[in-house]
Amino acid sequence: MKLAISGKGGVGKTTFSALLIRALSDQGKKVLAIDADPDANLAGAIGIADAEKIVPISGMKDLVYERTEAKPGSIGGFFKMNPKVDDLPDSLSAKLDNIKLMRLGGVKKGGAGCICPESTLLKALITHIVLARDEVVVMDMEAGIEHLGRATAGAVDRLIVVVEPGRRSIDTAMHIKQLASEIGLNKISLVGNKVRGKQDSDFLQSHLSDFEFLGFLPYDEALIEADLNGRSPYDTDSKAGSEILQIIEAL
């Protein structure tokens, strides 16, 4: 399974991703977790020790230079468009149980559509991960599909958009659907988060009736406390744990 997780900032997609990854790992599946959101902290949410010390791939200047033969931060000029990346998931990932995690980091763009060594390396890495790896892949994305392209969209088994009861979250889901359709990614499902009861789930389903919902995660103070205390939501006594198993079953 190759899964991409997206949604508006603050809806809890990293919490959902962490719950999903840990549950899949406990089921004995090998999981390659990709933190593709520059502002997220998927490693900490999973429960990986010293998560803050994980260096993003885009920030590894020596690696970028070695693989692309161009200095990071440079724009234009000549560099390899198909750098070697197949060894990176095994050599540069942090590990916990059956989980390997890679943090991609962000790429500072010098202008619209800029092509730079860092972005080329990341795109090549994502293409390899989606097309060639045999683990379950879970990618925690930005509020969009920045790291995906036409080459990889067809191989993604599901784009899961996390939504919360609210107009902005609904608008973001519609925007992500439009972006995804432009690259041929039409296998989209939703997960409702921070749902306080039937009224909230009915609200989401009525405003997003064209989408399939895989399930709903409850609004739970215990999950908020876990985040504040730097603890994985999976290690918290919450109904979300049983709900995530049903979502995996639906997938």
Side-chain angles (χ1 to χ4, degrees), residues 37-67:
D37 185 345
D39 297 322
N41 186 16
L42 182 59
I46 289 172
I48 293 175
D50 298 325
E52 69 281 354
K53 296 181 180 178
I54 299 174
V55 179
I57 303 297
S58 64
M60 297 180 179
K61 295 183 179 181
D62 290 342
L63 175 72
V64 174
Y65 181 70
E66 173 197 333
R67 299 305 171 93

Side-chain angles (χ1 to χ4, degrees), residues 7-18:
K8 183 182 76 69
V11 296
K13 60 187 175 58
T14 298
T15 296
F16 168 71
S17 298

Side-chain angles (χ1 to χ4, degrees), residues 165 195-206:
V195 172
R196 296 165 295 180
K198 188 175 185 300
Q199 185 175 355
D200 281 351
S201 59
D202 287 349
F203 172 83
L204 288 172
Q205 287 176 310
S206 65

Side-chain angles (χ1 to χ4, degrees), residues 4-251:
I5 317 297
S6 188
K8 183 182 76 69
V11 296
K13 60 187 175 58
T14 298
T15 296
F16 168 71
S17 298
L19 289 166
L20 182 64
I21 289 162
R22 286 284 300 274
L24 288 166
S25 173
D26 275 3
Q27 290 180 355
K29 295 179 173 62
K30 295 179 180 179
V31 185
L32 180 56
I34 306 297
D35 190 345
D37 185 345
D39 297 322
N41 186 16
L42 182 59
I46 289 172
I48 293 175
D50 298 325
E52 69 281 354
K53 296 181 180 178
I54 299 174
V55 179
I57 303 297
S58 64
M60 297 180 179
K61 295 183 179 181
D62 290 342
L63 175 72
V64 174
Y65 181 70
E66 173 197 333
R67 299 305 171 93
T68 67
E69 298 181 2
K71 291 182 179 180
S74 62
I75 299 174
F78 293 96
F79 55 87
K80 286 186 176 180
M81 295 298 290
N82 59 340
K84 175 180 171 60
V85 294
D86 59 334
D87 60 323
L88 300 185
D90 294 312
S91 63
L92 294 180
S93 57
K95 298 174 178 62
L96 176 70
D97 300 327
N98 294 318
I99 302 163
K100 288 185 288 193
L101 176 133
M102 300 187 74
R103 188 175 169 203
L104 299 190
V107 175
K108 295 179 180 178
K109 297 183 178 180
C114 114
I115 300 176
C116 58
E118 299 96 315
S119 66
T120 298
L121 183 66
L122 294 187
K123 286 183 182 295
L125 179 59
I126 287 292
T127 300
H128 166 73
I129 286 168
V130 173
L131 297 180
R133 302 292 296 192
D134 60 0
E135 304 106 321
V136 174
V137 174
V138 179
M139 294 183 285
D140 183 12
M141 313 286 288
E142 296 179 89
I145 50 173
E146 179 73 20
H147 289 87
L148 294 177
R150 291 186 181 277
T152 50
V156 172
D157 294 301
R158 189 73 54 173
L159 171 62
I160 302 174
V161 184
V162 181
V163 294
E164 64 182 0
R167 288 299 322 181
R168 283 181 294 174
S169 179
I170 290 169
D171 291 343
T172 299
M174 299 300 294
H175 180 58
I176 291 171
K177 181 180 181 181
Q178 179 182 346
L179 292 174
S181 68
E182 291 172 0
I183 59 172
L185 177 51
N186 300 310
K187 294 171 284 189
I188 304 174
S189 297
L190 302 185
V191 167
N193 191 32
K194 304 180 184 178
V195 172
R196 296 165 295 180
K198 188 175 185 300
Q199 185 175 355
D200 281 351
S201 59
D202 287 349
F203 172 83
L204 288 172
Q205 287 176 310
S206 65
H207 286 83
L208 294 164
S209 57
D210 291 341
F211 291 86
E212 171 201 14
F213 275 86
L214 295 172
F216 299 91
L217 299 178
Y219 178 87
D220 193 335
E221 293 285 350
L223 297 178
I224 298 171
E225 287 297 320
D227 182 46
L228 291 174
N229 295 322
R231 193 171 69 252
S232 172
Y234 193 76
D235 297 325
T236 300
D237 184 17
S238 170
K239 188 182 176 183
S242 59
E243 294 291 336
I244 210 75
L245 296 178
Q246 295 181 31
I247 289 171
I248 291 173
E249 196 65 32
L251 282 168

